[in-house]
Amino acid sequence: MYNVIVISDSLGETAEQTAKAALSQFENLDYKIQRFSHILTLDQLENIISSVEDFNNSIFFYSLVDEFLLTSIKKILDLKKANYIDVMTPSIIAIERMCGISPSIKPGALRKLDENYFKRVEAIEFAVRFDDGKDSRGILRSDLVIVGVSRTSKTPLSMYLANKNYRVCNIPLVPETTPPKELFEIPNSKIIGLTNTPENLNKIRVERLKSLGIPQGSSYSDLNRILEEIDFAMDIMQKIGCPIIDVSNRAIEETADIIINYLKKQQKKFI
């Protein structure tokens, strides 16, 4: 039985996965992995190493960024004539040489990056699942709810904000459909209304119908119908008491910046 000891100043998942990837190249190898996370002091390091009985049949995979700990573990393991792999340092040095920028040397920095990545993926999946009023239950779980008439950029805006780690659902406001009751059960500070000029909506919808191969004359692009929808939506948004943004002549990024700044201000009120 071979012992694989993983030591990290964070969770140690990266070092352990590296070890497993290497070990998988050897068939029928009998081994066990011990992982030690959040190792930040020399005492912790020495206690782990002193607990190892057989250094000949052991290998250390360590992911540490503190210079003192890196120097210490190398000296100790060299004295023990132990087998070891520094998982992180060669990669950091190679990148430093390439870009000429000194690393920040922050324990757990990769873990924080991973958490940010998975949070963004979860937000994107959320936006897709609760797009265009597919499931009103998403309203209660959202960081933000976007409401408005059709073709006010609700979906692209939701996806853009999801890439900024916000869980967003969007709800179309249509005269024939009663707005979900959940809209009135959450703070209006978590809701943003979108509107546009009737002329812009008319042009956008006419082009939309053309792209779908639908002949002109549909009520969808009719100006009177658009005015009716806008009036209905404005009435609902005013009842909710949420901010309303006119997206006419605004890029998605510009509208998103307005929303993000608004959300940050709301968060500060409760800090």
Side-chain angles (χ1 to χ4, degrees):
M1 171 78 72
Y2 293 95
N3 298 310
V4 180
I5 299 101
V6 175
I7 301 174
S8 174
D9 51 27
S10 184
L11 289 181
E13 291 179 339
T14 301
E16 183 174 344
Q17 289 304 315
T18 301
K20 286 180 176 178
L23 290 163
S24 69
Q25 301 302 311
F26 300 87
E27 295 182 6
N28 303 317
L29 190 65
D30 190 16
Y31 65 88
K32 67 175 181 179
I33 295 179
Q34 292 177 280
R35 188 170 85 185
F36 299 90
S37 305
H38 304 296
I39 305 306
L40 301 173
T41 68
L42 181 58
D43 285 343
Q44 289 176 307
L45 204 57
E46 290 177 334
N47 288 336
I48 294 168
I49 296 173
S50 64
S51 69
V52 178
E53 297 179 356
D54 185 0
F55 285 93
N56 289 328
N57 292 316
S58 300
I59 184 169
F60 293 78
F61 284 77
Y62 58 86
S63 174
L64 302 167
V65 295
D66 181 83
E67 188 174 351
F68 174 70
L69 289 181
L70 280 170
T71 302
S72 298
I73 193 171
K74 190 175 186 305
K75 284 182 179 179
I76 296 170
L77 293 178
D78 280 339
L79 286 172
K80 299 287 186 180
K81 296 182 180 180
N83 304 298
Y84 61 84
I85 298 293
D86 182 345
V87 175
M88 189 69 71
T89 303
S91 299
I92 292 175
I93 291 173
I95 295 171
E96 183 180 9
R97 285 174 178 169
M98 176 189 71
C99 64
I101 301 172
S102 297
S104 61
I105 311 300
K106 293 179 181 177
L110 182 60
R111 173 65 184 175
K112 290 178 182 177
L113 179 63
D114 287 343
E115 286 177 350
N116 188 62
Y117 169 78
F118 287 116
K119 187 177 180 182
R120 184 167 68 250
V121 170
E122 192 261 337
I124 292 171
E125 290 176 346
F126 187 94
V128 172
R129 179 179 177 184
F130 297 107
D131 178 46
D132 203 31
K134 290 176 184 174
D135 188 343
S136 62
R137 291 176 297 180
I139 293 173
L140 302 178
R141 295 168 50 195
S142 298
D143 297 318
L144 175 71
V145 180
I146 296 175
V147 298
V149 300
S150 175
R151 315 316 295 178
T152 48
S153 303
K154 296 188 301 299
T155 294
L157 191 55
S158 296
M159 295 305 299
Y160 184 94
L161 291 168
N163 273 282
K164 301 292 184 181
N165 293 351
Y166 291 97
R167 292 182 303 169
V168 185
C169 74
N170 68 80
I171 305 293
L173 298 178
V174 185
E176 290 78 18
T177 304
T178 302
K181 60 182 177 58
E182 290 88 350
L183 284 177
F184 301 92
E185 296 175 357
I186 63 172
N188 56 11
S189 58
K190 293 179 66 175
I191 304 174
I192 293 287
L194 301 181
T195 190
N196 205 332
T197 66
E199 294 77 17
N200 279 346
L201 284 174
N202 174 255
K203 290 177 183 177
I204 294 168
R205 293 187 180 189
V206 166
E207 291 302 317
R208 175 63 173 163
L209 291 175
K210 284 182 182 178
S211 69
L212 295 174
I214 299 174
Q216 291 189 25
S218 168
S219 61
Y220 179 69
S221 60
D222 180 75
L223 196 55
N224 289 327
R225 167 63 183 186
I226 291 172
L227 288 168
E228 180 187 356
E229 289 184 26
I230 292 174
D231 287 343
F232 174 79
M234 290 296 291
D235 182 56
I236 296 299
M237 291 185 283
Q238 286 168 0
K239 285 180 180 177
I240 293 171
C242 64
I244 302 171
I245 301 174
D246 186 344
V247 299
S248 58
N249 303 316
R250 276 200 174 101
I252 296 295
E253 295 83 357
E254 185 182 355
T255 305
D257 283 343
I258 294 171
I259 293 173
I260 291 171
N261 288 332
Y262 169 77
L263 292 175
K264 287 179 178 178
K265 288 179 181 178
Q266 294 302 311
Q267 289 172 354
K268 286 181 181 179
K269 290 181 180 179
F270 300 98
I271 294 176

